[in-house]
Amino acid sequence: DAGVTQSPTHLIKTRGQQVTLRCSPKSGHDTVSWYQQALGQGPQFIFQYYEEEERQRGNFPDRFSGHQFPNYSSELNVNALLLGDSALYLCASSYLGELFFGEGSRLTVL
Amino acid sequence: DAKTTQPTSMDCAEGRAANLPCNHSTISGNEYVYWYRQIHSQGPQYIIHGLKNNETNEMASLIITEDRKSSTLILPHATLRDTAVYYCIVRVATYNQGGKLIFGQGTELSVKP
């Protein structure tokens, strides 16, 4: 049984560009959450998707948006990238219980 | 969600028990204590959670004080592979809270030979 898978694992963008990160949840999980982890900090909650709708949102600007597909997979989109968006982006899936995290996508903005 | 306080770092000798404390003095009656760990450059890994009774699984034991204001995660026989940042999190374990965890700075545990 595959766990949570994320792609790409690493990517480099320049300021002002847009990025899309992808996540496939653990089998049987219907809820996907996204987190941003800056270097040396704990993960920060961005938002949660369930039934293809955003259900909860953390303190992140509208440049951060997402989508959940009927197969429960999810995308995180970040527009107008800033240097400060450089971070590890983590996806977590859950079903009525503890969260399982993927290995993350490391985004570097130059 | 209640806040937690953990020591910034701890050392432990390989093969000894690692006891990681966490204070959560403002915890509410319906909030659980969760522990996750994050090995360098990997995603956080679930360890254990509990409400008020002590819990044990194949990875660790969780001891929660009777007033629930603090807890201790115990790794009974620490190995070098247990070197990681350990996060103590309290949250309501309801379905619509499923995705949101509030991470603090965590405790950086170094297991030394």
Side-chain angles (χ1 to χ4, degrees):
Chain A
D1 174 32
V4 179
T5 58
Q6 293 187 242
S7 64
T9 55
H10 295 81
L11 70 165
I12 300 174
K13 294 285 188 178
T14 57
R15 281 182 298 172
Q17 284 189 312
Q18 178 264 346
V19 67
T20 297
L21 308 177
R22 297 176 177 80
C23 172
S24 293
K26 186 177 170 61
S27 177
H29 287 189
D30 60 359
T31 301
V32 173
S33 304
W34 286 92
Y35 288 76
Q36 179 195 65
Q37 186 173 24
L39 199 62
Q41 303 295 317
Q44 300 296 308
F45 175 76
I46 303 175
F47 43 53
Q48 170 195 352
Y49 276 83
Y50 169 66
E51 290 187 336
E52 302 180 49
E53 291 189 14
E54 183 182 299
R55 300 290 179 169
Q56 281 190 295
R57 189 179 183 92
N59 188 26
F60 280 81
D62 292 344
R63 297 187 298 110
F64 290 77
S65 63
H67 188 78
Q68 186 179 35
F69 300 94
N71 66 353
Y72 307 129
S73 67
S74 176
E75 288 182 351
L76 164 66
N77 300 292
V78 186
N79 295 321
L81 285 168
L82 304 174
L83 296 178
D85 294 331
S86 294
L88 180 67
Y89 288 86
L90 295 160
C91 171
S93 72
S94 60
Y95 175 71
L96 299 180
E98 64 272 10
L99 272 67
F100 289 83
F101 285 82
E103 296 303 308
S105 295
R106 183 164 296 283
L107 170 66
T108 301
V109 182
L110 301 177
Chain B
D1 294 319
K3 289 189 64 175
T4 62
T5 304
Q6 300 176 250
T8 303
S9 63
M10 294 181 62
D11 290 339
C12 177
E14 188 177 20
R16 304 296 294 270
N19 296 281
L20 291 88
C22 179
N23 287 321
H24 31 79
S25 59
T26 61
I27 192 170
S28 300
N30 61 348
E31 287 183 314
Y32 288 70
V33 180
Y34 281 75
W35 284 84
Y36 281 78
R37 74 180 183 183
Q38 187 172 25
I39 297 170
H40 183 63
S41 296
Q42 296 183 20
Q45 176 190 23
Y46 167 80
I47 302 173
I48 198 167
H49 76 282
L51 182 62
K52 54 182 178 182
N53 297 320
N54 298 338
E55 302 287 345
T56 296
N57 62 21
E58 65 279 3
M59 290 183 67
S61 294
L62 173 61
I63 308 298
I64 302 173
T65 58
E66 192 169 344
D67 63 7
R68 303 208 323 123
K69 292 184 177 182
S70 65
S71 61
T72 301
L73 177 74
I74 301 172
L75 308 178
H77 305 286
T79 71
L80 299 179
R81 288 176 295 179
D82 292 321
T83 293
V85 178
Y86 288 76
Y87 295 100
C88 170
I89 300 165
V90 295
R91 71 173 179 116
V92 177
T94 58
Y95 186 70
N96 62 3
Q97 294 280 341
K100 184 178 181 180
L101 296 176
I102 299 176
F103 289 82
Q105 295 296 316
T107 295
E108 187 168 4
L109 175 68
S110 296
V111 180
K112 300 182 183 300

